[in-house]
Amino acid sequence: MASKSTTGLPLDSANIMSTVLEGVSYGFSVLMFIGTIWTFTYKQRIRDINQPSIVVATLLFVLSTVHMIVGIIRLEDGLVKHGNTFHDGPARFFADVTQQTFVTKNTIITLQTLLGDGVVIYRCYVVWRSVWIIILPCMMWCGVAAFGICMVYVQAPTTNAKNVFGNQTGHWITAFLSLTLATNLLSSGLLAYRIWTIERNVSGAYATKNNMPILRVLVDAALLYSAVLCASLVCFALSNNGFYVLGDLIVPIISIAFYMVFIRVAISKKIHECLSATLC
C-alpha cells in the first residue's frame, strides 16, 4: 500500500520539536505534581490525606515520565542509531508506525487518556450522586478504550502498517481522538453544570467565593485538554506532520489539567476547614 503524502514539517524536525516541547510541558507538569502532593499532604494526618487523588496524580506522573523517556529513546534511535539504515534516512524511521517505541508511546497515550477520562466520569458520579447520569459517559469511555486498543494493535510490528495517516491506522486514530474529545466535553460539561447549579442554589458570600474558582479551573482544564485534541484532529485530517508534535503534547497536558483541578480542590478544602474551625 502506498504511503499517504504528508504536509508540514519534515518528520525528523517534527519529532525533534515534539520532544523539546514535550520536555518543556513535562517540566511544568513535574512542578505541578510536586505542588499537588504538597497541597494534599502538608500538615495533614495520614488518615486525612486524599489517598485516591494521590494515587491518580502519581499514576499520571509515572505515565508522563515513561512517555518522555520513550520519546527521548525514539529520537536517539531515529537520529543516531537506526536513521541511516533506512532508505530515506531518519524521516523514514519516524514514519514507520511499527517501531516499538512508537507503539509504546501510543499505548501510554491510551492509558493516560483512559485514566483522565475515568477520573472526570467518577467526579460526575460523586457530584450528581446518580449512576444514570454517567451511563452514556461510561459507554463512551469503553468506546475510547476499544478504539485505543485497536489503534495500538494495528501499529504492532507484526502488521503491515507503515504510515500513521494511512487507511489501516487512520480510521482508528480518528475514532480514538474524536470519541476522546466527545467524552471529555460531555463529562466536563456535566460536572461543570452540576457545580454551577449547586452554586446558584446556595446563598451566601462563602459559597460564591469558594466554589466559583473550582468551576473556573474545571472549565479551563477541560478547554486546555480539548484544544489540544481539536488541534490534533485538524492536523491529522490534513495529514500534517504537526500531528506528531501535538500527539506528544497530549500526555503532559492531561497531567497539567488534572493537577490544576487537584490543587484547586485541595486549597478549597483547606479554606473550608479553616473557616469551620474559626466559626466553631
Side-chain angles (χ1 to χ4, degrees), residues 82-103:
H82 307 303
N84 293 330
T85 62
F86 285 76
H87 175 66
D88 293 330
R92 176 65 66 181
F93 173 87
F94 290 123
D96 186 2
V97 299
T98 62
Q99 291 293 324
Q100 188 61 52
T101 50
F102 187 79
V103 177

Side-chain angles (χ1 to χ4, degrees), residues 66-265:
V66 175
H67 190 271
M68 185 75 243
I69 293 172
V70 175
I72 294 172
I73 294 173
R74 175 172 170 79
L75 190 64
E76 181 186 7
D77 288 346
L79 297 179
V80 180
K81 290 185 178 180
H82 307 303
N84 293 330
T85 62
F86 285 76
H87 175 66
D88 293 330
R92 176 65 66 181
F93 173 87
F94 290 123
D96 186 2
V97 299
T98 62
Q99 291 293 324
Q100 188 61 52
T101 50
F102 187 79
V103 177
T104 302
K105 289 175 69 175
N106 280 339
T107 302
I108 295 171
I109 290 174
T110 301
L111 294 174
Q112 186 93 327
T113 300
L114 291 174
L115 177 61
D117 289 346
V119 171
V120 177
I121 293 172
Y122 173 74
R123 285 180 183 152
C124 285
Y125 169 74
V126 171
V127 299
W128 282 91
R129 297 180 181 179
S130 171
V131 176
W132 296 103
I133 202 69
I134 63 169
I135 289 180
L136 180 57
C138 284
M139 293 174 62
M140 296 172 71
W141 185 89
C142 291
V144 171
F147 288 138
I149 292 171
C150 292
M151 177 183 70
V152 173
Y153 176 77
V154 297
Q155 295 168 0
T158 55
T159 65
N160 295 322
K162 291 298 178 182
N163 190 305
V164 72
F165 300 110
N167 291 332
Q168 190 170 354
T169 56
H171 297 317
W172 297 115
I173 294 175
T174 302
F176 174 78
L177 291 175
S178 301
L179 194 56
T180 298
L181 176 62
T183 304
N184 175 64
L185 290 175
L186 176 61
S187 302
S188 299
L190 288 172
L191 185 59
Y193 175 75
R194 181 59 174 170
I195 293 175
W196 178 74
T197 54
I198 293 173
E199 168 63 24
R200 187 183 60 177
N201 295 330
V202 174
S203 60
Y206 168 71
T208 301
K209 292 180 180 179
N210 190 52
N211 290 338
M212 289 307 289
I214 297 178
L215 179 59
R216 285 196 292 267
V217 170
L218 282 171
V219 172
D220 289 343
L223 289 176
L224 176 64
Y225 184 22
S226 299
V228 177
L229 288 174
C230 284
S232 298
L233 270 171
V234 171
C235 286
F236 191 82
L238 298 175
S239 298
N240 190 292
N241 288 331
F243 170 75
Y244 289 91
V245 179
L246 294 168
D248 282 347
L249 285 177
I250 288 176
V251 172
I253 289 299
I254 292 175
S255 298
I256 290 171
F258 279 91
Y259 295 152
M260 288 167 55
V261 178
F262 285 149
I263 292 173
R264 181 65 253 185
V265 170

